[in-house]
Coordinates of all heavy atoms in Angstrom, one line a residue:
P151 N 137.0 -182.2 197.8 CA 137.8 -182.1 199.0 C 137.4 -183.0 200.1 O 136.2 -183.4 200.2 CB 137.5 -180.6 199.5 CG 137.1 -179.9 198.2 CD 136.3 -180.9 197.5
V152 N 138.4 -183.4 200.9 CA 138.2 -184.5 202.0 C 138.7 -183.9 203.3 O 139.7 -183.3 203.3 CB 138.9 -185.8 201.6 CG1 138.9 -186.8 202.7 CG2 138.3 -186.4 200.3
I153 N 138.0 -184.2 204.4 CA 138.5 -184.0 205.7 C 138.7 -185.4 206.3 O 137.9 -186.3 206.3 CB 137.4 -183.3 206.6 CG1 137.5 -181.8 206.2 CG2 137.8 -183.4 208.1 CD1 136.5 -180.9 207.0
H184 N 142.4 -182.7 203.6 CA 142.7 -181.9 204.8 C 142.7 -182.8 206.1 O 141.7 -183.3 206.5 CB 141.6 -180.8 205.0 CG 141.4 -180.0 203.7 ND1 142.2 -178.9 203.5 CD2 140.6 -180.1 202.7 CE1 141.9 -178.3 202.3 NE2 140.9 -179.0 201.8
I198 N 132.8 -182.4 217.7 CA 132.7 -182.5 216.2 C 131.4 -181.7 215.7 O 131.5 -181.0 214.7 CB 132.6 -184.0 215.8 CG1 133.9 -184.7 216.1 CG2 132.2 -184.1 214.4 CD1 133.9 -186.2 215.9
Q199 N 130.4 -181.8 216.5 CA 129.2 -181.0 216.2 C 129.4 -179.5 216.1 O 128.9 -178.8 215.3 CB 128.0 -181.3 217.1 CG 127.4 -182.7 216.9 CD 126.4 -183.1 218.0 OE1 126.7 -182.8 219.2 NE2 125.3 -183.7 217.7
D200 N 130.3 -179.1 217.0 CA 130.6 -177.6 217.1 C 131.4 -177.1 216.0 O 131.3 -176.0 215.5 CB 131.3 -177.3 218.4 CG 130.3 -177.4 219.6 OD1 129.1 -177.4 219.4 OD2 130.8 -177.5 220.8
R201 N 132.4 -177.9 215.6 CA 133.5 -177.4 214.7 C 133.4 -177.9 213.2 O 133.8 -177.3 212.3 CB 134.8 -177.8 215.2 CG 135.0 -177.2 216.6 CD 136.3 -177.6 217.3 NE 136.4 -177.1 218.6 CZ 137.5 -177.3 219.4 NH1 138.5 -177.9 219.0 NH2 137.4 -176.8 220.7
L202 N 132.9 -179.1 213.0 CA 132.9 -179.8 211.7 C 132.0 -179.1 210.7 O 132.5 -178.9 209.5 CB 132.6 -181.3 211.8 CG 133.1 -182.1 210.6 CD1 134.5 -182.0 210.3 CD2 132.7 -183.6 210.9
P203 N 130.8 -178.7 211.0 CA 129.9 -178.2 210.0 C 130.5 -176.9 209.2 O 130.4 -176.8 208.0 CB 128.7 -177.8 210.7 CG 128.6 -178.7 211.9 CD 130.1 -178.9 212.3
N204 N 131.1 -176.0 210.0 CA 131.8 -174.8 209.4 C 132.9 -175.2 208.5 O 133.1 -174.6 207.4 CB 132.2 -173.9 210.5 CG 131.1 -173.1 211.1 OD1 130.0 -173.0 210.6 ND2 131.3 -172.7 212.3
L205 N 133.7 -176.2 208.9 CA 134.8 -176.7 208.1 C 134.3 -177.3 206.8 O 134.9 -177.1 205.7 CB 135.7 -177.7 208.8 CG 136.7 -177.1 209.8 CD1 137.4 -178.3 210.6 CD2 137.8 -176.3 209.0
I206 N 133.3 -178.1 206.9 CA 132.7 -178.8 205.7 C 132.2 -177.7 204.7 O 132.5 -177.8 203.5 CB 131.5 -179.7 206.1 CG1 132.1 -180.9 206.9 CG2 130.8 -180.2 204.9 CD1 131.0 -181.8 207.5
R207 N 131.5 -176.7 205.2 CA 131.0 -175.6 204.3 C 132.2 -174.8 203.7 O 132.2 -174.5 202.5 CB 130.1 -174.7 205.1 CG 128.7 -175.3 205.3 CD 127.7 -174.3 205.8 NE 128.1 -173.8 207.1 CZ 127.7 -174.3 208.3 NH1 126.9 -175.4 208.3 NH2 128.1 -173.8 209.4
S208 N 133.1 -174.4 204.5 CA 134.1 -173.5 204.0 C 135.1 -174.2 203.0 O 135.6 -173.5 202.1 CB 135.0 -172.9 205.2 OG 135.6 -173.9 205.9
L209 N 135.3 -175.5 203.2 CA 136.2 -176.2 202.3 C 135.5 -176.9 201.2 O 136.1 -177.4 200.3 CB 137.0 -177.2 203.1 CG 137.9 -176.7 204.2 CD1 138.5 -177.8 205.0 CD2 139.1 -175.9 203.6
G210 N 134.1 -176.9 201.2 CA 133.4 -177.6 200.2 C 133.6 -179.1 200.2 O 133.7 -179.7 199.1
V211 N 133.7 -179.6 201.4 CA 134.0 -181.0 201.6 C 133.0 -182.0 201.1 O 131.8 -181.8 201.3 CB 134.3 -181.3 203.1 CG1 134.4 -182.8 203.4 CG2 135.6 -180.6 203.5
G212 N 133.4 -183.1 200.4 CA 132.5 -184.1 199.9 C 132.5 -185.4 200.7 O 131.7 -186.2 200.5
A213 N 133.6 -185.5 201.6 CA 133.7 -186.8 202.3 C 134.4 -186.5 203.6 O 135.4 -185.7 203.7 CB 134.5 -187.8 201.6
V214 N 133.9 -187.1 204.7 CA 134.6 -186.9 206.0 C 134.9 -188.4 206.5 O 134.1 -189.2 206.6 CB 133.6 -186.3 207.1 CG1 134.2 -186.3 208.5 CG2 133.3 -184.9 206.6
E245 N 124.2 -187.1 210.8 CA 123.4 -185.8 210.6 C 124.3 -184.7 210.2 O 124.0 -183.8 209.4 CB 122.7 -185.5 211.9 CG 121.8 -184.3 211.8 CD 121.1 -184.0 213.1 OE1 121.8 -184.1 214.2 OE2 119.9 -183.7 213.1
I246 N 125.5 -184.6 210.9 CA 126.5 -183.5 210.6 C 126.8 -183.5 209.1 O 126.9 -182.5 208.4 CB 127.7 -183.7 211.4 CG1 127.4 -183.5 212.9 CG2 128.8 -182.7 211.0 CD1 128.5 -183.9 213.9
C247 N 127.2 -184.7 208.6 CA 127.6 -184.9 207.2 C 126.5 -184.7 206.2 O 126.6 -184.1 205.2 CB 128.4 -186.2 207.0 SG 129.9 -186.3 208.0
A248 N 125.4 -185.4 206.5 CA 124.3 -185.5 205.5 C 123.7 -184.1 205.3 O 123.2 -183.8 204.2 CB 123.2 -186.4 206.0
A249 N 123.7 -183.2 206.3 CA 123.2 -181.8 206.2 C 123.9 -181.1 205.1 O 123.3 -180.2 204.4 CB 123.3 -181.1 207.5
S250 N 125.1 -181.4 204.8 CA 125.9 -180.7 203.7 C 126.1 -181.5 202.5 O 126.7 -181.1 201.5 CB 127.3 -180.3 204.3 OG 128.0 -181.5 204.6
G251 N 125.6 -182.8 202.5 CA 125.7 -183.7 201.4 C 127.1 -184.4 201.3 O 127.4 -185.0 200.3
A252 N 127.8 -184.3 202.4 CA 129.1 -185.0 202.5 C 128.9 -186.4 202.9 O 128.0 -186.7 203.7 CB 130.0 -184.3 203.5

Side-chain angles (χ1 to χ4, degrees):
V152 171
I153 284 178
H184 304 278
I198 294 175
Q199 287 174 318
D200 288 341
R201 301 177 187 183
L202 197 57
N204 287 337
L205 276 174
I206 291 173
R207 284 192 295 270
S208 63
L209 296 172
V211 166
V214 174
E245 183 180 44
I246 295 167
C247 296
S250 63

